[in-house]
């Protein structure tokens, strides 16, 4: 089964949190941080820039993006971004 779960919530320090959980192959041991390195790819035609660019964009907006292992398998990607209530009114 291929499943993706997307959840949202609040995080510390006035940030919102988005989490994406999948049931894919997950990461090799200790490689959850490597996937953010520019040009790191395991795809035959991959450039390896997708997650590096995602992290740059989120950090430019004052947030954080990280990955961890899902249980029993798969990956979890989570990011935070600051809430600016004045933009919502
Ligand atoms: N959900 C995931 N589960 C397991 N590994 C992942 C997941 N997402 C990304 N990866 C790993 O991280 C690597 C880097 O991803 P990234 O999106 O930066 O580059 P890419 O998809 O390989 O190429 P592209 O530049 O076209 O996006 C992937 O090649 C894959 O090995
Ligand atoms: Mg990609």
């Amino acid at each position: 089964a291929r499943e993706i779960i997307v959840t949202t919530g609040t995080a510390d320090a006035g940030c919102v949190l988005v989490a994406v959980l999948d049931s894919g192959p997950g990461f090799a041991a200790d490689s959850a941080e490597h996937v953010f390195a520019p040009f790191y790819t395991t795809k035959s035609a991959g450039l390896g820039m997708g997650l590096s660019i995602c992290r740059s964009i989120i950090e430019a907006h004052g947030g954080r993006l990280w990955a961890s292992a899902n249980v029993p398998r798969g990956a979890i990607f989570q990011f935070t971004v600051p809430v600016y209530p004045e933009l919502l009114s």
Side-chain angles (χ1 to χ4, degrees):
R2 297 182 175 194
E3 293 181 351
I4 294 179
I5 298 171
V6 181
T7 65
T8 59
T10 54
D12 293 340
C15 290
V16 294
L17 171 72
V18 177
V20 181
L21 302 80
D22 71 38
S23 61
F27 310 111
D30 297 332
S31 72
E33 184 61 25
H34 298 167
V35 297
F36 296 101
F39 304 112
Y40 173 86
T41 184
T42 57
K43 300 177 182 177
S44 56
L47 191 58
M49 288 304 295
L51 288 170
S52 173
I53 292 170
C54 288
R55 179 172 266 181
S56 296
I57 292 171
I58 288 169
E59 289 184 350
H61 287 80
R64 285 200 310 126
L65 168 64
W66 68 98
S68 57
N70 199 359
V71 177
R73 64 194 175 91
I76 304 174
F77 284 86
Q78 300 181 79
F79 70 87
T80 60
V81 279
V83 178
Y84 293 106
E86 64 273 21
L87 296 181
L88 301 175
S89 57

